[in-house]
Each structure stands twice: as C-alpha cells, then as structure tokens.
Amino acid sequence: MIVRGLPRVGGVWRRGFSSSATRREIIDIESLPDRIVPRYPESQTSDLLSLQWPSPPRNILIIKKDRAPHVTESLIEYAKHIHSNYDNVSLIFEPKVAAQMHKQFSFPVYTTSSAGALPRKVDMTTTLGGDGTILRAASLFSTTLHVPPVLSFSMGTLGFLGEWKFAEYKRAFREVYMSGAGAGSPLFQDQKHPHVKTMVDETGDIVTGWSSIRGKSMGPTRSSKVLLRNRLKVGVFDAEGHRVIGDNTAESAAGDVHAMNEVVIHRGKEAHLAIIEVFVGGRFLTEAVADGMIIATPTGSTAYSLSAGGNIVHPLVSSLLVTPICPRSLSFRTLVLPANTPITLRLSEKNRGRELEVSIDGRRRSHGISVGMEIRVNGEDIVKGSEWIGGVPCVMRGTISGREDDDGWVGGLNGLLKFNYPFGGDE
Amino acid sequence: MIVRGLPRVGGVWRRGFSSSATRREIIDIESLPDRIVPRYPESQTSDLLSLQWPSPPRNILIIKKDRAPHVTESLIEYAKHIHSNYDNVSLIFEPKVAAQMHKQFSFPVYTTSSAGALPRKVDMTTTLGGDGTILRAASLFSTTLHVPPVLSFSMGTLGFLGEWKFAEYKRAFREVYMSGAGAGSPLFQDQKHPHVKTMVDETGDIVTGWSSIRGKSMGPTRSSKVLLRNRLKVGVFDAEGHRVIGDNTAESAAGDVHAMNEVVIHRGKEAHLAIIEVFVGGRFLTEAVADGMIIATPTGSTAYSLSAGGNIVHPLVSSLLVTPICPRSLSFRTLVLPANTPITLRLSEKNRGRELEVSIDGRRRSHGISVGMEIRVNGEDIVKGSEWIGGVPCVMRGTISGREDDDGWVGGLNGLLKFNYPFGGDE
Amino acid sequence: MIVRGLPRVGGVWRRGFSSSATRREIIDIESLPDRIVPRYPESQTSDLLSLQWPSPPRNILIIKKDRAPHVTESLIEYAKHIHSNYDNVSLIFEPKVAAQMHKQFSFPVYTTSSAGALPRKVDMTTTLGGDGTILRAASLFSTTLHVPPVLSFSMGTLGFLGEWKFAEYKRAFREVYMSGAGAGSPLFQDQKHPHVKTMVDETGDIVTGWSSIRGKSMGPTRSSKVLLRNRLKVGVFDAEGHRVIGDNTAESAAGDVHAMNEVVIHRGKEAHLAIIEVFVGGRFLTEAVADGMIIATPTGSTAYSLSAGGNIVHPLVSSLLVTPICPRSLSFRTLVLPANTPITLRLSEKNRGRELEVSIDGRRRSHGISVGMEIRVNGEDIVKGSEWIGGVPCVMRGTISGREDDDGWVGGLNGLLKFNYPFGGDE
Amino acid sequence: MIVRGLPRVGGVWRRGFSSSATRREIIDIESLPDRIVPRYPESQTSDLLSLQWPSPPRNILIIKKDRAPHVTESLIEYAKHIHSNYDNVSLIFEPKVAAQMHKQFSFPVYTTSSAGALPRKVDMTTTLGGDGTILRAASLFSTTLHVPPVLSFSMGTLGFLGEWKFAEYKRAFREVYMSGAGAGSPLFQDQKHPHVKTMVDETGDIVTGWSSIRGKSMGPTRSSKVLLRNRLKVGVFDAEGHRVIGDNTAESAAGDVHAMNEVVIHRGKEAHLAIIEVFVGGRFLTEAVADGMIIATPTGSTAYSLSAGGNIVHPLVSSLLVTPICPRSLSFRTLVLPANTPITLRLSEKNRGRELEVSIDGRRRSHGISVGMEIRVNGEDIVKGSEWIGGVPCVMRGTISGREDDDGWVGGLNGLLKFNYPFGGDE
Ligand SMILES: NC(=O)C1=CN([C@@H]2O[C@H](COP(=O)(O)OP(=O)(O)OC[C@H]3O[C@@H](n4cnc5c(N)ncnc54)[C@H](O)[C@@H]3O)[C@@H](O)[C@H]2O)C=CC1
Ligand SMILES: NC(=O)C1=CN([C@@H]2O[C@H](COP(=O)(O)OP(=O)(O)OC[C@H]3O[C@@H](n4cnc5c(N)ncnc54)[C@H](O)[C@@H]3O)[C@@H](O)[C@H]2O)C=CC1
Ligand SMILES: NC(=O)C1=CN([C@@H]2O[C@H](COP(=O)(O)OP(=O)(O)OC[C@H]3O[C@@H](n4cnc5c(N)ncnc54)[C@H](O)[C@@H]3O)[C@@H](O)[C@H]2O)C=CC1
Ligand SMILES: NC(=O)C1=CN([C@@H]2O[C@H](COP(=O)(O)OP(=O)(O)OC[C@H]3O[C@@H](n4cnc5c(N)ncnc54)[C@H](O)[C@@H]3O)[C@@H](O)[C@H]2O)C=CC1
C-alpha cells in the first residue's frame, strides 16, 4: 500500500507526504508485519536486563534530532548501512523526515500518519541526536506499556541519556540485532519462526534471519544489556474529578500519559507565584508557594529537577522525586518517594483565576491547568523478567568492555555532570 | 485647577477621572506646592538614618493594595484622620483610586495623569497593603534619585518590607510628620522658613506648620528612623549597544530604571533553557544555562532570589546579588558583589531566536529581550547624610521601643521567614 | 540461675549486678525460653507489613533513655503494668538498669552480661526515650539478621523514629502482644503450641497465651503494622584488605555491623580536611575533600545526612544515600543509590598519617581509620514476607485510626521537621 | 646583637636557634631599623588601593610552607636573589627556618624569639606556599592593626589567596619594592627622607634607596595594586563576661585576635550536636543545633564557609558571613551582615558540660569553650586612604596586564573553584 497525502495535522506527525518513483516510495507502516516483542531476562552478572529477541527485529524506527542539518548526513549513512547489511529490515521515519529523505534512498521507507499505529509495528527505535531526541522518541510510546527498545546515538555533544557515539553505529546495531540469538538457542532456528522471511543475500546465498549475518553469533550470554528506565504516569483531572478530554492529542484521551523525565507545572508567563497543594499517598503534605513543581523519575533526577536543586537518584532506585521550583520557603527539600506512591498536585483556590502550564518531558501541553484542577502522578508498574511490562528499555553500551555491570551512570556523573569537580589550577 | 477626563492610558496611571461637586473634587497635583525634601542625618545611636523635615510635609501620596476591597475601608478611615488632624496636608491618590474614592470625602483629593509629575510633588508616600504595594509605590519613583520617604502599613498578613500594623496608624503618622521638629530646633520656628506657607484651616484659624499639631513635640532626638534601601539601576540595550527606546513607558526613555528588589530575566513561556552570558566588572564571568537570572539588591535577597536558593543579605550591606534560576549546573552559587560593580547579562547567540522576559520588581516589561541584547545593572550611587541622594527611605518602627538600633530585620527573619525554625513537636 | 557479679566490662553492658532477696532477683536471660520469631506477611491495605506472632511473646527487652531520671518513673509504671496483666511475660533490662531497678519490683527481672545472648532470647524490644534510645536498642542487634520488633515510646520531646506517646502504652502493648492472633487463626489454639506454658494468673485462673487477655481478640486483619527499616552493613578493612579485628567489641569480630541511620567518617579533631576516595559498584566515583562522608539509610536521611544538606528519602525506598560533610566542592550533591550497591570509602594516601573517626548511628568507634583503610558498605539484603530476614521491624501507630496505609512519615515531615513551613506572620 | 639559644617555646616561634661563623649568623630583629609604613592611596582606575612606600622597604619577612622540602630550594634561590640585588634589604625568617637555612647563605639572616616584635620591624612579608602559608603569615600579625603588605607566591598547586607564580618572583619583588617611587615623586629624593639611611654596598658604593636599583622607575601611576582584605576580630569570654586569659598564647592576652578567613566553633570529637545561641547586633537571632558555626570574612567565604554551603562574597563587600555547619534545620541559610555588626556565639546551658573547639583561620586554639562562654566577633574597623588602618594588604598581580581593575577574583572563581563549570562531554 502506498500512502498519498495523509491528512493528519498537529503533533509530531504533522506533515503529510506523497510518494513518487518505484523504489523511492513512502509506504504506510500498516503493511509491515506486527512487531516482535523481546524478552528481558535478568542477568546474572549485572543489575541490567538482557535483551533477547525471539526472532530478528525487522521494523526499525529512526528518529533524528530536529532542525539539525548535520545529522541528516549521518542518518543517510546509517539507513544505507542497515539496508545493505540487514535485508529483511524495514526503516520507519516520522512523516516529515520520510518526505524529506526518501529520495536519497534506492529502497522504500515507511511512515504513518497515525502515531497510534507505532506501538503495534515498531520492533526497535534508534535515535540520532541528544537527550531531547530520545525524549521525543519515548513520547511516541507514551500511552503504551510496551515501549520497544531504544538504541541511541549521540550526535555532537554527549547527552546523559544517549549511550553510543555515532562512530560505533555498525557494531552497535549488529549487537542489538543479534542480541540473545545464541547458537544453542531454539529461537535461532528460523524454521520455527515462519514470519522471518527467507531472503537472498548479496552473494546469492539464501539467508534466514540471524544466520544471514556474517560473523559469529554473540551467544546467549553476550546479549545486549538493557536499562529499563521507569516512567511515571500522569493524568490531568478537572475540579469535578473528571479526566480532562479534548486536549486534541491522542494521549489524554486514552488515559494516562507516561513521562520518562518528569511532569512539571509552572507559572510560565504569569508574573505571580503559584500556590499548589501537594498530596502524597492520599494525605495532604503541604501547600507549595512557588514558580512550579516537578515530579520526576530517577532518570529525570539529572534533568530539570537537578537544576531546581534536587539530588541525584540512580535510575534503578524505584522511586519518584518531588522537587519544587523556586519555592517561597527555606525548608522545602527534595523528597524521594516509593515509585508506587500516588502524588497529586492541586491548584489551590488561592490562585484566583490564574492558569499554570503543564509540561511533560520538556514539551508544553496545549492546555494549562486552572484552579481546582489536579495532576495525578504515579510511578509506572513495572513487571520485570520475561513477562516484563513498562519502562523504556535503553540499550546500554558495555557489552564488549567486560565491565558488564557498568550502567554508565558513574561515568556520566563525572564526564557529563562534572560531579564533585575538583578545585584547583589546571597547571 | 480641576482636571477633567485625563487622556493618558497604560501603566499604573491607566484610568482618567472626572470631578463633580464643589467639595468632592479631584484636583491635579500641579496645583500643589513643590515637594519638601527631608534631610537624613546619620544617627549616633543607630545604623539607621534620622528623618528631618525642614518644614512639615504637605503632599501625601497614598497607595493601596490592588483588588483588595477590605483595604478600602481602612483607606477611608486613614484619609479622614489625616484630613481632620493635619489641616495643611493634601492627599494624593492614583487616578483609579481617586475616581473611586473621592465621593467618600468632604474634601478634595489630588491625582495626576502624568506619573512623571509625582517626584516633583510628593513629600511622603504611605502604603496600605503588602510588600507588593510598597514595590508598586517605589516603582512610581523608579526614574528619580530622590524618592520621598515611605511609611508602610501592612494590611492582613505581614510582609517583609511593611513596617507598621494598620492599628498603629495614628501614632505612626504623627511621628513621621513631626520627625526632626524639636522645640529647640531652629527649624521649628516657621517664620524662619518662609517657604512654609501660612494657611487658613477649615475653622478659619491660621495654622503654621507643626505648631498646629496638638501634643508635645518629639524633640530632635526622637526623630523617625529611616532605613535607606539601596536600589539597582537597570538599562536595556540592543545588540548594537543602543538603549532600547519605545517601550511605551516613561521609564526606559528617561534612562535607567531603578529596582528595589531585583531585575529578572526568565525563559517565561519558552520551553527551552536560556543561555545567558554574565559579565562582572567588564570581565566575562560565565555562561549560565538556566531558566533565568536574578540580579537583586540586599532588600531583594529575601524575595525571588531566596526562592531560587540565594542567601540572605542585610539591607545595609552595600552589594548586589547574582542568583541563577534553575541553572543547569551543579556549581553555580549566589555571588554577592560590591554595589558599584557593573553587571551585564547578555542573551547568547546560542538561544536561536528565542525571546526572554524581563521583570523589574515582579512586574513584567511589555517587551522581552532577544538574542544579542543586554541588561546592564549597577548599584545606585548613594550619598548619605544631609546631602543624601538615592535609595528608598523606609520609615522604621522602633522609635518608641527604645531599641533604637533595631532595624526589624532579625525579627523579620524569625517571625516571617521562619529562619532556622526549630525541629520538634509542639507539645 | 541467678547471676551474681558478672565480670564483663565495656560497651553498653558495662556494669555487672548482684541480686538479693527472693522476689527481687536479677536472673540471667539464659534461663528464659528461646525467642519466638514473628512473621511479617504483606498487608493488602498498606505498604506496611503485618506482625503475626505464632504464639504470644514472652521475653520483652526494655531499654530506657540514658541519664534521664524522669524516665525512670515511667519505666516502673510500665514494667508493673506488663507484669500485672501479662503474667507469662518476662522483662529484660540492661545490666546497669537491672541493678538500679530490681528493688522496685516484686518480681524478678532478667539481664545478661553477654550482649551476644540477646538475639537468641528477646521476642520484642520496647524503648522509652527518644531517637537515640531506639538507635541504641537497635545497636544491641547490630550483628544479627533477625531483629526483634521494636515498640517505641517517646518521652518528652517527640522524635522522628519514636512512634507512640507514653500515655498510650497500655493500648500499644496490648495491640502488639495480640497482633495476628485472630479467633479463626489456627495459631490461636494454644494447645498446638506446647511451648506456650500454661500459667496461673493473679486471680488463680489458668491462662494460656492470648486467651488470658481480657477483651476481644484483634482478629487477623487488625494486626499491628510494621515498618521494616532497612539497615546498612558496614565492614572496616585495613590496607591489606583484612577485616579489622581487635576493636574490643563483639561486633566487628563477628563480621559486618548493621546501622539503622548511617555510618560516618569525619576528620573529628583533626584540623585539616580529609581526602576520601569513593567507589560505587566497584568503580571509582570521586575523591572527596571534606570534613567527612555519610553513607545513610533512608531512615537516616532525616538524621545527620539532612543536616549535611542531603535530601529526604522515604524509608520504603530501597536505597543508600551518599552525602558529603562540608566538601570542598561546589558540585557534590547527595546521591541515592540502589540498596544493593556496594560502596567503599577509602582513606587516600594523601592524608599523610591522619586518622579519621568512624561513627555508626552516632556512636564513635573506639578506633578510627587510617590511611589506606576502607569502609565497605552495602544495603542489608531484605527478604520480606513470612520468610523475612533483615531490617528493624518498627511497630507503627496507625491501627486504630483506620488510615491503615499511614506510615506517619508525612506527619513527621510536617510536625517534626517543619517541612516547607509557611512564611508569614502568626497573627 | 647576635642571639644565642632563645628560651621561648610554644607557638610558631617554637624553636630557639644558635649562630656560628661570621657571615652565617642569625641576628635578632631588634637590631633592625623600625618598620616603614606604606601609604595606600585610593586608585583612580581601580577599586584596589595603590601601594606607596615613603622610602624603600628594608626588612622583609619570608614565610615558607611547612613540611614541604621542595619549597626550600625555592626559598634559597629567592633569598639569594634579593640579597644580591637589593643590598640594603635584610631577610627575616621564623626561628626554625632561620636555624635550618642560615648555613646556606653568605649573609646574616634575622629572626626573633618574640613574635610580638614582628609588627614593629617587618616592612613587608612574602610567602612561599599555599593559602595556608598566607594564613599563617597573617596570623603573626593577628593582634596588630597595621599588617605589613603581603606578597605571596604559590608553590605547586594554585591557591585562592596566592597571587603570584614563583617563576615571576624577580619581576614581582621589584614591582613591590619600587611601588610608588616615581621619578618625579618628591619621595624619590632620598635626601628629603633622612630616615632612609645611606649604606655602603658590597662593592663599596654608596647606595641610597631606590636609586640603587637598576632599570627604569615604575612611575607613580605604576604602583603595585593592593587588595585590603578585611579581617574580623574575635574575643573569647567566660560565663561571667571576662575575657579569657591564660591561653598560653600572646594573642588572647593582648585583646582581640584578628582572623583573615574565619572563626569556627565545632563539636570536634564530641559525638553529639552542639547548641549555640547566636546574637546579632545585640539581639537574639536563633539557637543553632549543629556541628558548629562559622563567622567568616568575605575572604573566608570561599574557604570553610563555602564547604558548609555558604555563598560567595567578593572581598570588597564590607561584611561578615554567618554559616552553620550541618545544622539540624531545614531553614538555616547563610546570612551576610554589615561588617560592623557585633555577633556573639554563646554555648547554651543545654550542652550539659560539653566543650567545643575554637579554630581561627584553621588553627585550633589550645582551649575550647564550655557552657556559658561566648565568642564575640566584629568586623575590623578599616580606615582607608593614606591614614589607613586595618586589613591585610595583599599585593595583586595585575600591574602589567593593563587590566588595572582586575582583582583576579573572577579568574579565581572560574580557574580554581570551577564556578558554574559547564555540563557536557570534553570531546
Ligand atoms: N531549567 C532547567 O534545567 C530546565 C530543564 N528542562 C529539561 O529539559 C528536558 C527536555 O529536554 P530538551 O527537549 O532537550 O530541552 P532543552 O533544549 O531545554 O535541553 C535540556 C537539557 O537537559 C538535558 N537532559 C534532558 N534529559 C536529561 C536527563 N534525564 N538527564 C540529564 N540531562 C538531561 C539535555 O541534554 C539538555 O542539555 C525536560 O524533560 C526537562 O527535564 C526543561 C526546562 C528547564
Ligand atoms: N518564585 C518566587 O519566589 C517569585 C518571587 N517573586 C517576587 O515577588 C516580587 C513582587 O511581589 P508581588 O508583586 O507581591 O508578587 P507576588 O504576589 O508573586 O508575591 C511575592 C511574595 O514575595 C514577598 N516579597 C516581596 N518582596 C519581598 C522582599 N523584599 N522580602 C521578602 N519578601 C518579599 C511578598 O510578600 C509576597 O509574599 C518580586 O519582586 C519578586 O521578588 C516574583 C515571582 C516569583
Ligand atoms: N549535625 C548533625 O545533624 C549530627 C547528627 N547526628 C545524628 O545523631 C544520631 C544519633 O542520635 P543521638 O544519639 O540522639 O544523638 P544527638 O543527641 O546528637 O541527637 C541527634 C538528633 O537527631 C535526631 N535523630 C536521630 N535519628 C533520626 C532520624 N532517623 N530521623 C530524624 N531525626 C533523627 C534525634 O532525635 C536528635 O534530635 C546519629 O545517627 C546521627 O544521624 C550526629 C552528629 C551530628
Ligand atoms: N571542610 C572544609 O572545607 C574545611 C576548611 N577549612 C579551611 O581551611 C583553612 C585553613 O587552611 P589550611 O591551613 O591550608 O588547611 P587545609 O589543609 O585543611 O586546606 C584548606 C583548603 O582551603 C583552601 N583555602 C584556604 N583559605 C581559602 C580562601 N580564603 N579561599 C579559598 N580557599 C581557601 C586552601 O587552599 C586549602 O585547599 C581554614 O581557614 C578554613 O577556612 C578548615 C577545615 C575544614
């Protein structure tokens, strides 16, 4: 099926697209096979999970940094490499990117005008950009419980979430693609997975799934390591307790939205302080008089919450942070609560008609909240292991080094956040 | 001269006014005598200054809290008291307030459609409201170097700047009115001060200055104590270094604006972090990546700067504070600089077309600043003593208590800011 | 067996004791039956655990605040009440207290000269004092994995850990004593528990376990709620990696010591800054130049760590905090790590011969650590549920209120820590 | 006069000394002419003062870092250079150093067994070491109001107070030596200054002050710039209000001691929190429950106070900082008070017999303070200009660069304190 001029506007999937010549077409993702959901067994040697594909991934979503022309070059190089070496893989782009790029390729690319279709089709996401690009990629799955694994490449300046340097893309993609495909693994037998199509490779040989990839299998113990980043769930409710509908976005209609970093309410362009009631576990905790409030995940503890004075929480500590933004108080300190604590932020009647802004992972919602309205937050329920559910599975960069328990976090504190940077001259 | 339907719109002095019957008229302040500038000799027993009128004050500006109906009652009571007891005193209101209130009075009230006239006419300002009301009162004199003394009454909740409880208004006004008028003081002899015009009061008696006031003189040593609150000067300049004109407010046209608390630049409704270059004493200090930046006076150290994590500076420490708002850094701490240090905030080119909001003492300027523009800040030059210039002279509340050196600051830390509030149960 | 003049000195159990008349004797706890280990099933309605005795507790350890004469009165009242109403209960005291108090009682009291015997004998601990008393009680079990449940009464000022007011002691003791003894519970049948000895009560009736207690059973759903406070394990190792022996305390010889609040290393009386290498999960994190370092449990996050600038972590967040004390750095912020992260503090060679102090839960160890030595810290492994192991089970005070999920934490933040205490006058 | 085996022990001037051969003798400083007190006129182009010698300095005190063998080499080189090029200059060392070093020199060195003699004799101090060495040098003048100017060379790692790199010593010394000696300056004519004694140099030539120095005069406008670092005055008083005598140090006997960084009281090796009453300007401010309290100068704001969470105050802001060390409070923030505010720290009766340590500029006083005792602190009164008094005059390093108003402070924030160190990779 070839899509022409898709009507939908607004949001990420803003731009329609048209297609042209045979090989340079843009195809709707509905024609792709349904996604393959990997398993995430706990690893013996590490606190991270292993990534185990039941069969090789096929539908790869590629998200690139916005308004960054220099990333486009890399995107082309990356896409061509995957197409040449992994024949049964299809590449999915955001509509705007698909429209811009498809002429560069001798093969069809995929997209969709309906963001809701992505969770059904995407096996894996790769991002080319910074932390903001990863957050945007995650936001495409903000209403689903099964986020496909994310392989992120940092372009230019390093980010705190981005794991791989772009120069490593060949090895990185291969590792993730092969992850969990042990020689002895029954999953390795493609005949048991008839949906893996037989193909003819460049040399004319018949290739079936992983066996088509040159080089030794990584073996089941050499699987990619995955850090499952806990998200938080956000619901917005009006003064009568009804979930607010009509945000003109798919998310709120379907229920809670998931955030990877945080949800923020902020006075925005209001000149005056906001008054926010905070409830924890159903109990009134305090009335914050402040510029705003942040409820963050441990992942988000190094983002806005840090700037607002919050402390640093390791992503594997199952918790939520409550951090005020410029509170009119000497005695408000960041709280770290169990992830399953319900937290409610309520706009006090004392605000007298002012509206506050709501942002999720740095993106402002089209509507703010007004007096009496509530933001209800909860940590996402995570079930780990083979039946895992929830979280954003981020592919870590440590497989080869042998330091298998290295989640890169300590390195990030030092290398990126300049944690406890020593005093003294650099002589 | 009776003013009718003044044309000017915008700013504080937004609303025109019309007048009606004989005694209930609204008169333009141009018909009032020019202001009397008090002296502020240094006091022997205190770090505060003494207030010394060369002759009794006559033109009293009264500013009340906005949108607070319960304050109106108090305003009427206060105005009537002054009129009844201090015959040669004229009361000045903001145009909107004058229009609303003049029917309540059996005497004329004064106003002006031109905010610029106030510095020439006002002998003293009294405020009824909170800290915001004092800031608004001060902003009426933000382009002059000689701010009239401010006598502030807190209505309802105590503020940090407000000194007197409204219940004390009779004593308070009398003290300030009489301040420096010792029996032995040559100034007390009105004949020696021909510029104190002889007037005929309602009962037909001739009244000459202080002698008309019943009760004993306070004596020269019993003068009101004044805390001279240092302001800072703010100029906004475009990328070419020209002072920005056309803000549609009188202030910027006339040169620097003075702030009592602080100048703030903030990302406002922009979702992304702002990048601000900070120069101190002409040298590049740092590039702040943050929600915003605050340059505050010591007075402002307990306002926004405190919420942003800044420390507390006594108003008599001649200095400026540099406090970032949610900086993306672990190592930005509030700086306290000499008041005469020039500080420049420059919007870095890296902000890519974003505009930041500028607020002075909590009021947003109609125009923000864009890339390349600069905010230049400097402490106001203060010359103390009899030839004093600069600062906002705030009448303190300590004359009677005998603790003459008490500037009320320690009490405010404990009573209002709950400084070092003790842990433990309230049993 | 009646103990006379026990020889052991040092530590808490410093003082020997002698006994005198028949009923006022001090008996060694070895003559008591072995302890009864309760179960802690997870509760449906709460994040807290339920306390479920297989049979009624018999051996109650009572710890009172040191050097606080007014607590002695309460101790006598409390002990007499238990003796009168729970006949098969034996009361255990610290040697010094036993020696001082036993004359006051018409019944024998128990003690031991060997602190190591307590974990084998004590069914439950009750404390009369403040947080320090609870910490001291916990320290008696610092080398065992099965700490008996702690029922704590605050005397005088409220503490953050103390749960019950002394005025509630009758109800509190009864609730804990009966906890989990449902009418329908098979455990309620004393005959099935032959180790519950049949006794004759004061009125001559035969009493068998719970049935002797007047009043209705609480039922299995009305069991006491228990907050399992995670501890951390501390080992001290010399430069060669050998565990340091010869601390002259039982603890270190037997392996790791457990802390309820924190382990601290501090320069103590050394005038110069200490240099401490911090390793996290086996990786070098940073070199802290500071007065000291704190590794704290979530419980300890409101103790010393808070004073040092750390944030507040709910006791149910399974984690460890790393908080520096006065670090010579602008960029050291509290870290919250997963409880199972091994953390090592190593005294750098750069300290040139200085010795640092080591404190556990506020008590200084007799020996400090010197250059090259290491403190190795780990969260205690907790297995919850009926097979629970680890943690300090603290009996909460929420059973009656109906707010079963209330762990008192929010109340403590507000009532004790004055969290986000509002600005403004108290008019 | 040649001194032999001086008896005095204790303090810095601990070690006596003996002398031997003709030219390698150690001479008592009493034989040196009395000191020359420079003037410090305010500079036009800078906030710093100018250094103006009425005649060339002659008695130079050299202080070197303790226990740092590699500094000894540099000391020898430095001393020989001065002796060879500035013939009428005498070098003074601490007794221990004089004893160790005099054999290395072909000229006599000076010392004294009485620290009290230094303020009468020393024209200028130069330090070779780090910040600690400068603090130690300043402490030799802690009881005098006229501290000689300090020229400091950092050895090895840069410090925040140390100004010059040792490699620059020739230029640095010459600049300071010549400072203010303009060709046209009347001061340059030695005959007008009869107290500048005519001397015969090693080659037999008559040398008269500056004229003996090769090279061009710097001119009166090229004088060295001096930052006058405000000190604070500390007095210790017992519960009856008597100044505590008998510290066995000269300082306390003579009245207040001056500190350059801060005075600290700390629980030291006491395990329990200290309770300290803080009075500001005679009024009770608060009761601090803490590890300790710091009262710091602006110079000290980047020392211990910074580690304890305090903010950074420019040395030219005339003020004192009050910073608690690990306070048991959420709401204690650093206070910056006017330098002339009297501050009292009183050990509360609640401390029950505990003794706290007192340190001045990092050196612990032999006696601590006990319950009821007070530390009274006040900023030093500074009179600037030609009649200056007070402060530690530190020679800055900026003369050549042309950036005359550069006090090096901004550079120190960035280069040494890593102020607002940017996030991100170092790629
Ligand atoms: N004052 C502040 O610190 C503010 C921070 N933000 C953060 O920005 C995020 C959105 O990112 P962008 O769209 O790139 O906005 P952006 O262009 O404003 O940049 C945000 C910065 O935060 C970094 N960042 C994002 N997530 C992070 C994480 N989990 N740990 C460490 N660093 C992280 C990014 O690398 C980037 O440097 C939001 O989720 C929020 O956390 C948003 C507004 C203000
Ligand atoms: N997050 C924050 O803390 C924010 C604070 N502000 C402050 O509000 C000021 C304007 O005041 P309003 O118009 O009343 O705005 P507002 O209605 O937002 O209230 C500001 C609060 O700050 C208090 N305040 C003002 N000046 C103070 C001072 N010098 N010391 C101690 N407390 C002070 C007022 O009493 C009031 O409680 C601004 O100058 C700015 O300092 C403004 C925006 C945000
Ligand atoms: N600067 C500080 O804040 C210091 C704090 N401590 C703390 O004191 C504890 C020992 O307690 P004490 O023997 O009573 O010493 P203490 O007599 O010095 O008092 C310590 C204070 O901390 C409180 N406290 C103890 N544990 C707490 C917790 N988990 N949460 C909240 N407050 C708590 C106590 O109620 C008491 O007010 C240590 O474990 C350490 O955490 C010890 C030294 C210094
Ligand atoms: N936790 C902390 O930060 C502590 C700091 N100190 C400080 O050390 C000073 C004594 O210095 P040392 O004898 O060398 O002791 P030290 O060997 O303990 O080193 C103190 C450190 O502070 C630096 N320092 C000293 N004065 C400074 C200033 N005014 N600005 C910036 N950095 C400064 C020194 O360069 C050195 O790195 C005391 O006056 C006190 O301020 C003393 C004890 C603890």
Side-chain angles (χ1 to χ4, degrees), chain D residues 344-395:
Chain D
T344 298
L345 304 179
R346 195 171 164 283
L347 219 59
S348 160
E349 317 289 343
K350 299 182 193 163
N351 288 289
R352 282 178 296 169
R354 287 195 276 263
E355 208 187 71
L356 295 205
E357 287 180 357
V358 179
S359 305
I360 291 176
D361 287 350
R363 301 202 306 157
R364 220 180 25 256
R365 311 281 297 183
S366 46
H367 292 82
I369 67 165
S370 50
V371 162
M373 286 176 73
E374 289 184 358
I375 307 271
R376 299 188 194 154
V377 185
N378 220 316
E380 186 181 16
D381 306 308
I382 299 268
V383 187
K384 284 187 189 171
S386 54
E387 303 297 328
W388 79 280
I389 228 178
V392 178
C394 296
V395 179

Side-chain angles (χ1 to χ4, degrees), chain C residues 15-124:
Chain C
R15 297 264 307 267
F17 49 84
S18 63
S19 79
S20 45
T22 340
R23 285 263 111 195
R24 298 201 197 90
E25 58 202 8
I26 303 177
I27 310 180
D28 192 289
I29 60 170
E30 289 298 345
S31 61
L32 290 173
D34 275 358
R35 71 176 287 201
I36 295 165
V37 178
R39 300 178 182 192
Y40 299 93
E42 296 193 26
S43 139
Q44 307 288 67
T45 56
S46 163
D47 284 334
L48 303 176
L49 303 178
S50 292
L51 173 66
Q52 213 164 64
W53 295 108
S55 61
R58 295 163 303 185
N59 309 337
I60 310 291
L61 172 64
I62 304 181
I63 302 287
K64 81 172 189 64
K65 188 175 173 155
D66 243 7
R67 270 169 291 178
H70 70 286
V71 175
T72 307
E73 302 280 287
S74 306
L75 179 79
I76 295 170
E77 181 182 336
Y78 180 62
K80 287 187 173 164
H81 168 77
I82 295 175
H83 178 74
S84 308
N85 293 276
Y86 304 84
D87 317 73
N88 45 356
V89 163
S90 305
L91 301 180
I92 309 170
F93 295 96
E94 294 174 279
K96 194 173 66 177
V97 178
Q100 280 170 2
M101 310 289 301
H102 75 284
K103 294 230 174 73
Q104 316 272 354
F105 300 124
S106 56
F107 49 88
V109 300
Y110 294 79
T111 194
T112 177
S113 58
S114 149
L118 292 170
R120 275 186 294 110
K121 295 294 179 182
V122 174
D123 291 342
M124 179 164 90

